[in-house]
Structures are given as C-alpha cells and as structure tokens.
Amino acid sequence: MKNSVKAVIVTGGLVMLLLIGVLVWAVAQRAESENDPKPQVLREESHVLDDGGADAVTVVEFLDFECEACAAFHPVMEELRQQYDGQITYAVRYFPLPGHANSMPAALAAEAAAQQGDFEAMYQRLLETQAEWGGAAEPNPQVFRDLAEEIGLDMAAYDEAVADPATAERVRRDRSEGTFLGVEGTPTFFVDGRMVTLTGPDDLEKAIVEAQSR
C-alpha cells in the first residue's frame, strides 16, 4: 500500500475518532446540564409557611437557626406575615454557617419535623429558644430532640430522619444553592427573586411594597 493511501486512511481514522469524541462530550455536557439545573430561589421542596397564591409577592429567607441576627429579625418577619397575610408567599431555606456548632443539628431537627408535617412548629421553637443553646462549643442534639418531644413528634421517626444521610443532603442542597445565588450570611431575603440588602428593620417591608407595585 502506498504511503499516500496509508496517510489518507490514518487521517480519516483520526478525524472519525475526533468526531466521536466531540459527540460523546456534547452528550455528557447535556446530561450534566439536565441533572444540574440552574439555581432557583424557590423550589418545590422548599418549606412554604404562607402561600398567598399566584399573584402574591414571594419572600424567601435563607437562615441559620443558630444565627443571632436571624433570631433578632424573627419578630419583624412574624409581624410582616400578619400584616401581609394573603399577600405574600413566605418560604424558608437552610443556610447553616460554619463556626456554629449547632446550626446543622438544628437544621436536621427542622427537616425531621418537616417530614412529619411540623416544620413551622419546630422553626418557631428553634428561633424562640436559640438563646438557650446557641453559641455552644460542641453540638448538642439532645436539645433538639427535647424540642421534638415538646411539639409532639413521633420520636422513632424523628430519630430515624435525623440519622438518615438523605436529611443532611436535603439541608446541604439549600446551602449549596444559596451559595450559587450569592448568599454569604444570614438572614438573606429574596423578594420576587431579587436579593434584599438589609440595612435596617424596614428594608424588607420596603422591598415587599416595591414588588407589589411592579
């Protein structure tokens, strides 16, 4: 076989391999894109405390249950929930911060309660009692187990949920998505998908009123 013919065959083979490689890469990229959707402020699995309906302003809070600022802002949020009842959809997402020993255990407790339909009851108790367990040097899961008993959860199911890696993964999904959305600290609020810069207690209400006028 002449060298020129061999060269053509080899070149054609290399081109074919290159095309196959490009095709495989394109398919892989498409699959990765489909399995890793763009970050969303609110997801179907997010915990909605108030559903104002299709025309309501959406308020999403990323919080850390051990964050003192979250506990301090909690009464403000509760007043806004009452004041704008039926006008806003309010949802909570997890964003446990590093350096808080009990932020992840608290989030696990909230998620375990959510699996029994009692997310808000645990959410309220965690923020109301934060001063009693926040700032500890070591995690104290028993504190949250006591709260679970207090609100009447099935304790066998609670213990199973807290120990289930899927529960921790659920919390991490919120944290990871919040990071992609630009969340750096807590509380961080989004109003109709727009991050709100909090400089004072009235900033969130201003953002809600502005969203209503749009």
Side-chain angles (χ1 to χ4, degrees):
M1 185 178 291
K2 294 182 179 181
N3 290 337
S4 59
V5 176
K6 288 182 179 179
V8 170
I9 293 174
V10 171
T11 301
L14 290 174
V15 170
M16 184 62 69
L17 288 173
L18 179 61
L19 289 173
I20 292 173
V22 170
L23 179 61
V24 170
W25 177 84
V27 171
Q29 289 295 106
R30 181 177 180 180
E32 183 178 348
S33 176
E34 290 175 351
N35 292 329
D36 185 20
K38 293 182 180 179
Q40 298 177 24
V41 172
L42 182 65
R43 289 194 175 275
E44 186 176 345
E45 68 177 2
S46 300
H47 299 304
V48 176
L49 278 62
D50 301 315
D51 187 351
D55 297 327
V57 171
T58 300
V59 179
V60 178
E61 178 181 4
F62 282 83
L63 63 72
D64 173 351
F65 287 108
E66 194 173 357
C67 167
E68 292 182 359
C70 293
F73 205 88
H74 178 58
V76 176
M77 189 64 238
E78 290 298 289
E79 289 182 10
L80 291 175
R81 290 178 65 188
Q82 292 183 9
Q83 183 176 347
Y84 292 92
D85 182 34
Q87 301 176 54
I88 64 171
T89 291
Y90 172 56
V92 173
R93 301 191 68 178
Y94 306 112
F95 201 82
L97 295 169
H100 288 170
N102 279 303
S103 61
M104 188 63 176
L108 293 177
E111 185 58 25
Q115 293 178 23
Q116 297 188 41
D118 282 313
F119 174 82
E120 180 160 9
M122 181 62 82
Y123 156 87
Q124 296 288 356
R125 291 301 292 138
L126 287 169
L127 291 171
E128 290 166 0
T129 64
Q130 186 204 87
E132 301 172 15
W133 50 266
E138 298 292 335
N140 188 359
Q142 185 59 46
V143 169
F144 311 115
R145 197 175 189 280
D146 291 344
L147 292 178
E149 281 193 298
E150 179 184 312
I151 65 176
L153 295 185
D154 178 324
M155 295 310 298
Y158 172 86
D159 290 337
E160 183 177 351
V162 168
D164 187 348
T167 305
E169 178 57 30
R170 167 67 181 83
V171 174
R172 292 190 188 99
R173 281 200 301 273
D174 269 8
R175 167 68 198 239
S176 177
E177 192 153 41
T179 299
F180 277 114
L181 290 166
V183 177
E184 296 180 347
T186 55
T188 293
F189 290 90
F190 290 81
V191 174
D192 278 356
R194 301 182 182 185
M195 186 185 292
V196 179
T197 300
L198 294 179
T199 58
D202 297 330
D203 290 333
L204 182 57
E205 183 175 9
K206 290 177 182 177
I208 292 172
V209 172
E210 289 174 2
Q212 287 180 322
S213 65
R214 286 198 289 266

